[in-house]
Amino acid sequence: MQMESSSASSRVESFPIGLRVLVVDDDLTWLKILEKMLRKCSYDVTTCCKARVALDLLRERKDRFDIVISDVNMPDMDGFKLLEHVGLEMDLPVIMMSVDGETSRVMKGVQHGACDYLLKPIRMKELRNIWQHVYRKRIHEVKDMEIHDINDDIHILRSGFENFDDRLFMSTSEMISLRKRKDVDTRDFSDQDLYDSATVKKARVVWSVDLHQKFVNAVDQIGFDKVGPKKILDMMNVPGLTRENIASHLQKYRMYLCRIQKQNEARDFTGNKQPDHSPEDHSVNPGIQNPRTSGGHKSQNIQGLDMIDDFQESELNKQDVLPEKNKKEDVHSQKANNSPQPGPPLHLEAMLPHSDHKQVYPSMSKQKGWHESVLLRQFMQYPKHDHEPFSLLEDHSHPTQTQEPLVSISSNEKEGTEFNIKASVVNRKDRHMKIISTTAYADDSVSTQMEQVNSKEFGATYEHNKLISSKEQHYEQSRVHDLIPPSIYLNTKNEVDLIALPEDLNLPYLQGFGCVENVGFNGMELHQYNSCASLAELQNNWYDEIELNCEYWYDPLEYPLLDECLFA
Amino acid sequence: MASIPGPDACPPTVRLNYPTAKLSLFLLLSLSSGPHYLIKKDRERKHRKPASKTGLPVWMLGMGAGRWEEDMSHLLALLFRQGVLDEHFMQLQQLQDESSPNFVLEVISIYFRESEKLLRNIRTLLLDRECTDYRKIGVYLNHLMGSSSSIGANLVRNVCVAFRAASEHCNWAGCLRSLAVLEHEYCYLKNKLHELFQIEQQRVLAAGVRYHPLLQ
């Protein structure tokens, strides 16, 4: 701890040097480049190519990072979802990056709470300035505190005054003093203040499931339209929670709900379309659930935070499940304006009173893209009630996800209520497994062929692979031949000298690679470009092949003078 | 470090780690012609490996070191002119420093590896006309575009953009054509970058050989 604090203080003294950045991107090239660029800016970089891993990293220690940079298009989790999680749970500034700079995407990023949106390719100077987002957030947090205090003072004073004129007078003077105070604050906001605020690390409130659930309860009770931070604070009655914590959380919550509403409306409008649907969901959705409900489920999923919190808090047992749930479901439907399908979700919910909600959040957070967990998430929306509450947002010591769902289903079965559900789930799983296996087949056939090839050189491998695959799938290629000249060449001219080649295609290079492979490099390690020996060998072989094929021949007679000069 | 197995029994200034290297260097030296496939259109370039009277190529004597820099800048200029590379490649080179001397090489190796995976995947997706997943092709293309932009591979990136348009229109034939062009451009880029690395290697070698006992 001492080391931490000393490093923290040294870091803060020379802000923004030592800024702790987490970079999340599935593109390994960019990951390496960004790491290097950020290191050059003297930042402390951690890289991650999977969003789930990044979330785990962030959750394991809340104050480990100052800022997160994330790509938008990632396979395991949408960048916007990650953004949401980070914003809600950790309140860190998040910068989005993408190769796509369309206005709609940028807008979406900002709506989800990104504090900046960078376009790839990213220049180093853009990265130099990312510290401003950290700084800005800190200043705003402190200022919020000030403003809230001042506003309170004003209210108290105002309400205390009977006389209208006096009140007016008081308010203007208060305003003046408020402004003065603010000016003073900004001027005084020197390094010292920053140092204090940074090291003290204004107890970042951890919005655990319990806390968030209390918050949501309070909001419900007050009424969404009449809600205010002070009322919520009073109702929640949590010691140590301050108004500005609630205010900022409320703001985020509102944004979040607005976005959900819009999504629901958009979805209903467009039918089955779901913008944030992962591809796996789509493949599994058809079947038992009708499209609308699946959409509804998905939205329920996103709102899962709220619902699960509510359900958890109640700690209901079996008998009270249905009526309670219905009530809560209604509340939530109203609140979220999720009018489309209140019926079916309830129905399914009735069918699964004991589904294990343990799986929901962890499966969401640790989903390795397995269809099962997604599938079961769809079913098991509604938590088990004879299950002690635990902090979903923070419990990440869950072992594995893929096997547990099955176990939970079978345990449910013992309670004798979901026979048909289990059967249908299992069926879907089987069908799904078939889907996986068929899609995997295509990849496998290609990859096994690849493994047969001994060469390590990727270019050669690639070309060779094309050769093999094209041979084996010639019935496909027959259609395709006329469309792909290179394939033709590679197919037919395996061992033949490649003499008559169209120059403009620069195919000598292609053929050179193919030829090299066929002539038999015999597994030479061509990718070790650091070794000059292999380089020399490479050159050697290239000269052998290309000399025969190339149209330009070196004419020693052309450069007589030069020869004499150079030959020492 | 490379040893120079000249015909005379001179003490080697540098050592090779690989047993086959001596043989290969011999072969290299025996070649009288240079990599002229490089100069398809630039005939005025005297690109070859002349041998000295001692049997050693001139560049090994440390006198032709400047040639490699010239070669490299010439090749880079060509690639810039063709639009194959853009200024991000220069930025990439500027990132290389003493703490990571092979940075550019590492990044580009990663790029090759990842790109080839992507190209393979795209090709696999296009095998069956009926059930081609165009959306997935679009996803892969985005990834490839992003990677290419990272190293400044401008031409590959532009081809990806055109390809993406074809995939958005679910045009199978168009996609196949675009894939052919993409693969071709990618191979060209790869070859050129390999050349660049070779030149760099040789330049480093040449710079390393400053003194030769026979010349002193």
Side-chain angles (χ1 to χ4, degrees), chain A residues 346-560:
Chain A
L346 284 177
H347 173 60
L348 271 171
E349 160 198 358
M351 279 168 23
L352 298 171
H354 305 292
S355 48
D356 190 1
H357 82 109
K358 212 179 197 178
Q359 300 312 314
V360 180
Y361 248 89
S363 67
M364 269 170 70
S365 63
K366 278 193 181 174
Q367 183 185 8
K368 295 177 181 97
W370 274 107
H371 300 212
E372 287 110 332
S373 48
V374 168
L375 153 68
L376 290 158
R377 192 206 311 175
Q378 302 261 336
F379 267 114
M380 302 196 280
Q381 297 270 329
Y382 310 95
K384 210 169 175 181
H385 291 285
D386 45 11
H387 175 61
E388 67 278 4
F390 69 104
S391 169
L392 281 171
L393 286 175
E394 290 170 358
D395 181 358
H396 303 288
S397 55
H398 254 285
T400 67
Q401 304 310 312
T402 53
Q403 291 312 311
E404 281 190 80
L406 281 178
V407 172
S408 63
I409 289 178
S410 53
S411 70
N412 286 341
E413 203 193 6
K414 283 183 203 151
E415 302 181 36
T417 45
E418 292 87 25
F419 274 107
N420 47 349
I421 303 300
K422 184 196 185 219
S424 54
V425 164
V426 167
N427 281 341
R428 278 181 64 171
K429 182 170 178 294
D430 287 342
R431 196 181 339 150
H432 167 73
M433 288 306 286
K434 286 201 190 95
I435 294 170
I436 286 183
S437 57
T438 47
T439 52
Y441 173 71
D443 286 333
D444 280 340
S445 60
V446 170
S447 57
T448 47
Q449 285 158 5
M450 266 169 50
E451 272 139 31
Q452 289 161 16
V453 175
N454 282 329
S455 164
K456 311 275 189 317
E457 214 282 321
F458 284 112
T461 311
Y462 178 60
E463 296 301 326
H464 198 144
N465 185 33
K466 262 203 314 191
L467 278 173
I468 295 177
S469 56
S470 60
K471 277 187 222 153
E472 294 205 3
Q473 291 146 2
H474 57 269
Y475 63 95
E476 295 276 351
Q477 292 288 3
S478 58
R479 273 186 291 165
V480 152
H481 264 337
D482 48 337
L483 295 170
I484 310 181
S487 306
I488 292 178
Y489 286 119
L490 288 171
N491 221 358
T492 58
K493 300 191 182 179
N494 281 341
E495 322 288 339
V496 173
D497 259 359
L498 308 160
I499 296 170
L501 295 169
E503 204 178 297
D504 56 347
L505 277 186
N506 284 319
L507 277 174
Y509 302 118
L510 270 176
Q511 304 315 321
F513 266 109
C515 252
V516 153
E517 176 57 33
N518 292 327
V519 163
F521 258 155
N522 298 324
M524 189 170 76
E525 301 279 353
L526 290 174
H527 66 276
Q528 288 173 2
Y529 289 107
N530 288 331
S531 71
C532 65
S534 54
L535 220 50
E537 284 187 73
L538 180 72
Q539 272 178 337
N540 172 34
N541 279 300
W542 274 357
Y543 296 161
D544 283 342
E545 296 308 314
I546 305 297
E547 260 190 75
L548 296 169
N549 301 332
C550 195
E551 295 174 303
Y552 293 90
W553 288 87
Y554 171 69
D555 187 357
L557 297 177
E558 275 186 13
Y559 315 104

